[in-house]
Amino acid sequence: MLLVAAALTIATGDLSDASVILLFITVNTAVGVVQEVRAEQAVMALSAMSAPTARVVRDGEERSVPAAEVVPGDMVLGAARATSCPPTETYCPRPPCWRTSPR
């Protein structure tokens, strides 16, 4: 719409108003691009912060891996940093760890 207004203003011969309109269009476009880039960076930072990780014992050593990379045989550690799992018959509402493969 502003481009049409600038074109009509130029057609009527009022170059000062046309230049103001074109300057406004340029500034508005630049601000929009900067905001879009910042929003994209914020989304990327938030997605990196919210990527779930798991503490596992793999090959005898404790490490932190992305949750999507937990494989059968990993011992997943809970907040208590347990080193062994309770027997399978033991009721545990919030187990400290569990194996991802059957025993």
Side-chain angles (χ1 to χ4, degrees), residues 50-88:
S50 69
T53 60
R55 297 290 301 164
V56 300
V57 175
R58 181 182 291 173
D59 299 327
E61 71 180 56
E62 186 177 326
R63 61 178 80 170
S64 180
V65 297
E69 293 180 16
V70 174
V71 296
D74 284 347
M75 184 185 308
V76 179
L77 301 177
R81 298 281 187 252
T83 57
S84 64
C85 291
T88 55

Side-chain angles (χ1 to χ4, degrees), residues 1-102:
M1 292 274 283
L2 286 175
L3 287 175
V4 172
L8 289 174
T9 306
I10 290 172
T12 60
D14 193 358
L15 296 180
S16 64
D17 284 347
S19 63
V20 169
I21 293 171
L22 290 173
L23 177 67
F24 179 77
I25 291 171
T26 303
V27 170
N28 190 26
T29 302
V31 168
V33 168
V34 168
Q35 285 181 339
E36 186 69 28
V37 168
R38 286 185 182 171
E40 184 66 29
Q41 290 172 345
V43 167
M44 296 302 268
L46 287 172
S47 66
M49 287 173 36
S50 69
T53 60
R55 297 290 301 164
V56 300
V57 175
R58 181 182 291 173
D59 299 327
E61 71 180 56
E62 186 177 326
R63 61 178 80 170
S64 180
V65 297
E69 293 180 16
V70 174
V71 296
D74 284 347
M75 184 185 308
V76 179
L77 301 177
R81 298 281 187 252
T83 57
S84 64
C85 291
T88 55
E89 350 19 87
T90 304
Y91 173 74
C92 189
R94 298 181 95 187
C97 69
W98 61 91
R99 289 197 179 272
T100 57
S101 63

